[in-house]
C-alpha cells in the first residue's frame, strides 16, 4: 500500500500510544483525522469546535443540512451531550455499546449547531474499535465523524478507500486495516415519543424491539419512500442518492435471470462492450464479454463486511454496470438490502 505523509499505520488491536497522541494533537489543533471504526472509516473533528466541524463538510462536499454523528468513549460521555437520557437510551446503550448503534437525543448547547445541521437533536454512539476508543480517550472530547468519503460516494472500509476519496483533504489517516461490520451504524431516534429507526444497520429492528419489549417504528428511507413522507423531516442524510458507486447498478432476483441474461448478452455484443461486475449469491448469469463474477458470502454479516469493498473494486475495475443479486428479505439482511437499494437508486 502507498504510504504518504497523511497515512499512518496503527495496530488495530493495540494502537501505539505515540501514534494515537499524534492523531489527537491534530484533532486538538482543529484538524481532520480519518480513523477506523467497526462499521466504516470516519472523518473526525473535535465535535465541540464549530470551525473544525465545518472543515468536515468542506472536505466531504457534504451539504450543510446533513447532520454528523458525535462519537464518545462511554455512556457517561454520551450523557454529557444530551438534555435527556430516557430509560430506553440507558437499556440500549448498556446492551449495544460499544457497537454499531447511533442514538438520536435532544442536544445540549455545547454541541455546535453546525454538527447537527441546525437540528435540536444529536446522534451519538460509542464505536467498538480500539483505535477509535483510544483516540476518544486521548482527546477527551467527542469526535464528530461522518463516513470518510466524499458526499454520495460509497463509505470506506479500508484506509486505502479513504486515501483515494479524500487523501488530499485530510490531515491524517489512521490505517487500522479492514472494518469488521462493513456498513454504517443503525440510527435510532429516541427524541420523540416512539423509538424510530432512521437508518437500518447490522443491529436489526427486531433486536432493538426485543430488547425494549415493544415495536420500533421504521422511518428508514425505503419505508418512507413507500409511504410518501419526506425523509427530510426526520433524517436529512438518509434521503438522497447515497452509498452509490460510479457504475450503474441493477438489482435482480432469481425470477429476473433470463431477462437480465439477455440484456447482458446484448451489451456484450455491442460495438464497444463495457465491463460488467456481477455480485451474486445463488444465481448464475452468462459470463458474457468483459464480465467479472464475484460470489458473495451467504451469511449476512460476512456479506456486509465485504459489500463496500466489492463495490469499490467494481468501480476500480472500470465497470459501467454492476448487477447485484438481491439477498433474502429477512431481518438479518435489512441493512444490506437498504444499502443495495440506495446504490441502485
Ligand atoms: O457507522 C456509522 O454511523 C459511521 C461511523 C463513522 O460512525 N458514520 C456514518 O456517518 O455513517 P454519516 O454521516 O455518513 O451518517 C450519519 C447519518 C446522517 O446522514 C443522518 O441521516 C443521521 O445519521 N443523523 C445523524 N445525526 C442525526 C440527527 N441529529 N438527527 C437525525 N439523523 C441524524
Ligand atoms: Mg456517509
Amino acid at each position: 500500500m502507498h504510504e504518504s505523509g497523511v497515512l499512518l499505520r496503527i495496530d488495530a488491536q493495540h494502537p501505539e500510544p505515540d501514534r494515537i497522541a499524534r492523531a489527537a494533537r491534530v484533532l486538538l489543533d482543529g484538524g481532520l483525522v480519518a480513523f477506523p471504526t467497526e462499521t466504516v472509516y470516519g472523518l473526525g473533528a473535535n465535535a465541540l469546535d464549530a470551525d473544525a466541524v465545518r472543515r468536515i463538510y468542506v472536505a466531504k462536499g457534504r451539504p450543510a443540512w446533513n447532520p454528523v454523528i458525535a462519537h464518545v468513549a462511554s455512556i457517561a460521555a454520551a450523557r454529557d451531550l444530551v438534555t435527556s437520557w430516557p430509560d430506553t437510551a440507558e437499556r440500549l446503550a448498556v446492551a449495544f455499546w460499544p457497537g454499531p448503534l447511533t442514538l438520536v437525543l435532544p442536544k445540549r448547547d455545547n454541541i455546535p449547531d453546525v454538527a447537527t445541521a441546525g437540528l435540536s437533536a444529536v446522534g451519538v454512539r460509542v464505536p467498538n474499535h480500539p483505535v477509535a476508543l483510544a483516540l476518544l480517550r486521548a482527546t477527551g472530547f467527542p469526535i464528530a465523524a461522518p463516513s470518510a468519503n466524499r458526499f454520495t460516494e460509497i463509505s470506506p472500509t479500508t484506509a486505502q478507500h479513504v486515501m483515494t476519496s479524500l487523501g488530499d483533504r485530510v490531515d491524517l489517516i489512521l490505517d487500522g486495516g479492514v472494518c469488521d461490520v462493513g456498513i454504517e451504524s443503525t440510527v435510532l431516534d429516541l427524541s420523540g415519543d416512539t423509538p424510530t429507526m432512521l437508518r437500518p444497520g447490522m443491529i436489526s429492528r427486531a433486536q432493538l424491539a426485543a430488547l425494549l419489549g415493544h415495536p420500533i417504528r421504521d422511518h428508514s428511507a425505503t419505508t418512507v419512500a413507500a409511504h410518501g413522507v419526506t425523509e427530510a423531516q426526520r433524517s436529512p442524510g438518509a434521503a438522497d442518492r447515497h452509498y452509490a458507486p460510479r457504475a450503474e447498478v441493477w438489482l435482480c432476483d432469481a425470477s429476473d435471470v433470463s431477462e437480465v441474461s439477455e440484456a447482458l448478452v446484448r451489451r456484450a455484443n455491442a460495438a464497444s462492450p463495457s465491463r460488467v461486475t456481477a455480485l451474486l449469491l445463488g444465481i448464475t448469469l452468462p459470463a458474457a464479454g468483459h464480465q467479472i463474477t464475484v460470489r458473495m458470502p451467504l451469511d449476512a454479516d460476512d456479506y456486509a463486511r465485504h459489500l463496500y469493498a466489492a463495490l469499490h473494486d467494481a468501480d476500480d475495475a472500470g465497470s459501467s454496470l454492476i448487477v447485484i443479486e438481491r439477498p433474502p428479505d429477512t431481518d438479518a439482511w435489512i441493512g444490506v438490502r437498504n444499502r443495495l437499494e440506495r446504490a441502485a437508486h
Side-chain angles (χ1 to χ4, degrees), residues 18-239:
D18 60 317
R19 298 187 181 201
I20 290 294
R22 183 171 152 193
R25 170 55 49 199
V26 173
L27 291 172
L28 282 161
D29 290 343
L32 299 182
V33 174
F35 61 96
T37 79
E38 82 281 29
T39 57
V40 300
Y41 274 73
L43 179 60
N46 179 353
L48 305 181
D49 176 345
D51 289 331
V53 174
R54 233 168 257 124
R55 281 188 198 107
I56 295 176
Y57 285 81
V58 173
K60 280 185 64 103
R62 184 183 180 102
W65 44 258
N66 194 348
V68 299
I69 294 169
H71 297 72
V72 290
S74 65
I75 292 178
R79 295 182 66 153
D80 277 348
L81 304 181
V82 301
T83 56
S84 97
W85 184 256
D87 178 53
T88 47
E90 180 69 18
R91 286 158 65 199
L92 291 165
V94 167
F96 294 109
W97 283 356
L101 176 66
T102 296
L103 301 178
V104 175
L105 289 155
K107 83 174 188 76
R108 267 183 53 186
D109 289 344
N110 56 347
I111 301 280
D113 288 335
V114 58
T116 60
L119 296 174
S120 57
V122 61
V124 290
R125 84 177 188 100
V126 179
N128 187 18
H129 196 292
V131 172
L133 290 170
L135 195 55
L136 285 162
R137 291 191 189 109
T139 60
F141 50 65
I143 299 178
S147 52
N149 52 282
R150 292 200 195 200
F151 182 59
T152 78
E153 288 181 356
I154 311 160
S155 292
T157 53
T158 68
Q160 193 55 52
H161 294 156
V162 182
M163 189 70 193
T164 305
S165 183
L166 293 172
D168 53 348
R169 292 169 172 234
V170 294
D171 298 302
L172 187 66
I173 301 169
L174 290 177
D175 179 358
V178 179
C179 299
D180 193 47
V181 174
I183 66 170
E184 304 83 349
S185 60
T186 302
V187 180
L188 186 69
D189 186 356
L190 296 178
S191 67
D193 295 336
T194 313
T196 303
M197 174 100 99
L198 300 181
R199 179 174 71 183
M202 295 313 285
I203 293 177
S204 73
R205 196 165 140 225
Q207 274 175 285
L208 297 172
L211 187 101
L212 294 180
H214 57 78
I216 306 276
R217 189 159 26 148
D218 185 359
H219 216 280
S220 58
T222 31
T223 312
V224 170
H227 291 83
V229 182
T230 81
E231 180 74 15
Q233 293 165 349
R234 299 212 63 124
S235 188

